[in-house]
Amino acid sequence: MQEKFKILIIDDSVTIRQAIEKNLSNFPLEVVGMAGDGKTALELFRNTQPDVVTLDITMPELDGITVLEEMMKIKKDVKVMVITALKDKATGLRAIQIGAKSYLVKPFTSEKLKAAFSRMMGIN
Amino acid sequence: MNETDLHFFIDSTVNYFEEVTGEQAITGIPYLKGKEPVVLDYSGIIGISGKRKGCVYITTTSEMLKSLANIILNDHQATIETVKDLTGEIANTISGNVREAYGSSFMISVPVVVEGRAKDIRLPEHVQTFVIPITWKEYKSFLVVCLE
């Protein structure tokens, strides 16, 4: 049986959370949680210890950069794909420096999301 | 705010619709907002801080949002919650994408969504506010940009 990766989906938009879940449904993933704000995201992260995270940046409570820093302290080998509307190099670079493996700018098409996710996971 | 600023927002708006739907949105000639309200069914408002200050909002119809939800989620019967959420997400994406031009000192807030056509959205009075008409498919909406 194929190994399933535990994924946590974090975005303050429920529409985007649903779109990510739907578009990644053909990957070997088990969705262990979804969060709409940074504080809940960190709680879920600590409780579920996911292998993979999709992470928004502009969120209530805690922003995604702070969440990313905290996640890296808890589980350094987690694969994090930042999915954000913030289309500037400095933020992308900062996220990668902290430990994100991928940075995808919204709006995304299904194809772009799947391709970026495949690259991050090393799936052909 | 100048013409270059307006172009950043127009490009970001056109890109949003093209990426999400594969269909181009057509933007009309921007105009200075007067005293008349520019409010349709749902409005997603983003506060801007940092080097630039002000706010950006998109106001649109329930029909357009349902049509977009259908494309994004294949959801033919989008709920009011989905429609409201999508309004905020469009505003967030259009505003966040213009950081390509302004850089990370262009700080955007989380969106606030206002429902209903009854009132205008309150904007700073001393700042010029531009309205960019948008047509996507048969649907009309407006992007309103108020930046110091």
Side-chain angles (χ1 to χ4, degrees), chain A residues 11-16 18-19 22 58-60 85-88 90-91 105-109 112, chain B residues 15-16 19-20 72-74 81-82 85-86 89 92-93 96-97 99-100 103-104 108-111:
Chain A
D11 198 297
D12 64 338
S13 162
V14 66
T15 311
I16 295 299
Q18 287 172 2
K22 189 171 179 288
T58 309
M59 292 189 293
L86 302 181
K87 196 178 182 178
D88 62 282
T91 307
V105 176
K106 298 176 186 174
F108 57 81
T109 60
K112 275 189 188 169
Chain B
N15 178 62
Y16 177 85
E19 280 284 317
V20 172
I72 296 169
L73 298 172
N74 198 20
E81 287 313 307
T82 301
D85 178 79
L86 193 50
E89 185 57 21
N92 168 66
T93 305
N97 281 191
R99 276 174 59 143
E100 185 178 27
S104 55
I108 65 169
S109 73
V110 294

Side-chain angles (χ1 to χ4, degrees), chain A residues 53 55 57 64-65 68-69 71-72 76 78-83 91-104 120:
Chain A
V53 173
L55 175 64
I57 291 186
I65 292 292
L68 180 60
E69 286 171 336
M71 287 194 307
M72 286 298 147
K76 208 171 180 179
V78 63
K79 289 185 173 173
V80 179
M81 172 182 275
V82 172
I83 304 178
T91 307
L93 194 62
R94 177 90 183 109
I96 298 296
Q97 280 170 342
I98 296 167
K101 295 283 184 289
S102 180
Y103 191 90
L104 182 67
M120 182 178 80

Side-chain angles (χ1 to χ4, degrees), chain B residues 49-71:
Chain B
S49 59
K51 260 190 183 173
R52 305 296 296 268
K53 289 177 179 58
C55 85
V56 175
Y57 75 86
I58 186 157
T59 187
T60 187
T61 62
S62 177
E63 288 75 24
M64 191 196 88
L65 293 161
K66 284 177 181 170
S67 183
L68 272 177
N70 189 16
I71 291 168

